[in-house]
Amino acid sequence: MGAWQPLPEELPAEVRHFVEQLRLLKDRTGMSLVALGTRTAYSKSSWQRYLNASQPPPRQAVVALCRVAGVAGEETERFGVRWELAVRAWPREPVPPVPPVRVPAGGPVPGPVPGPGGEPAPGAEASVPAGHGVPAARAASAARGRDGYEEDPTLPWWDLLDEESSRQPGGPRAPRLLLYAALLAVVLLLAAVVGAVTLG
């Protein structure tokens, strides 16, 4: 489709291969990034970051791109495997070290400001020295997972309907839709009969 900007030379091979495959898949759709954004619930700027290797895409974005491109089955699974390999190898920005809080030897440990009656004042927060507990940056990193990447679970509503119907014991929702269509036809028929009798 269009000419892509060159990928950074320092990218790991897994990331380079994955992004190149994503670009080919996007080109296969024949869509602009704006159109792709509306069809996948991920913005144009997000797709620009994903396709230029500035940021790893969430797994659901890859699944949505596969769906839009008409990819299914084994090929979608291959994209899932490529995504896993790429996310593990994706370069990460170093987390800046948290500076320690200096407390004078034998001095008080910073804590909440006591209010009347010796209880903490409303809205007062306890400050914990960096040496005690887990530093904020390390805690945030632990919350993201072992490989430092947090997957965005956001899905478009139409994908949620497909997943929900495939999990139900009856399988696809076609029988339910058929029942609703028949019920609607009966209601319309009754309305026509009542209207004909009333006017006729």
Side-chain angles (χ1 to χ4, degrees):
M1 198 131 163
W4 293 101
Q5 77 179 43
L7 294 172
E9 291 297 322
E10 64 274 2
L11 274 181
E14 297 89 348
V15 175
R16 178 176 295 281
H17 178 70
F18 173 70
V19 172
E20 288 170 350
Q21 292 301 310
L22 270 189
R23 287 176 169 187
L24 290 173
L25 192 59
K26 185 266 175 205
D27 287 346
R28 195 159 105 181
T29 67
M31 295 181 171
S32 68
L33 291 177
V34 173
L36 185 62
T38 59
R39 293 283 306 273
T40 62
Y42 293 91
S43 69
K44 171 190 171 191
S45 59
S46 293
W47 280 113
Q48 284 175 330
R49 288 190 303 272
Y50 306 153
L51 296 169
N52 288 322
S54 302
Q55 175 185 345
R59 178 182 217 109
Q60 293 305 327
V62 176
V63 170
L65 178 58
C66 286
R67 180 183 42 78
V68 168
V71 172
E74 278 186 33
E75 196 172 354
T76 300
E77 289 177 25
R78 280 195 294 268
F79 269 99
V81 170
R82 287 182 193 128
W83 175 84
E84 288 176 16
L85 293 171
V87 166
R88 286 186 186 140
W90 211 284
R92 291 178 184 49
E93 296 179 18
V95 178
V98 178
V101 176
R102 302 207 180 226
V103 178
V109 175
V113 179
E119 294 186 19
E125 296 181 19
S127 60
V128 179
H132 298 280
V134 180
R138 205 175 297 153
S141 174
R144 283 193 300 265
R146 182 180 59 78
D147 58 1
Y149 178 72
E150 182 177 342
E151 187 175 328
D152 181 8
T154 305
L155 287 175
W157 63 269
W158 54 85
D159 282 350
L160 293 174
L161 290 176
D162 290 342
E163 281 184 12
E164 185 178 303
S165 67
S166 66
R167 278 191 234 135
Q168 293 176 353
R173 57 181 182 224
R176 188 183 332 162
L177 289 176
L178 189 57
L179 177 67
Y180 290 148
L183 185 62
L184 181 62
V186 168
V187 168
L188 289 174
L189 184 60
L190 282 174
V193 169
V194 168
V197 168
T198 305
L199 297 174

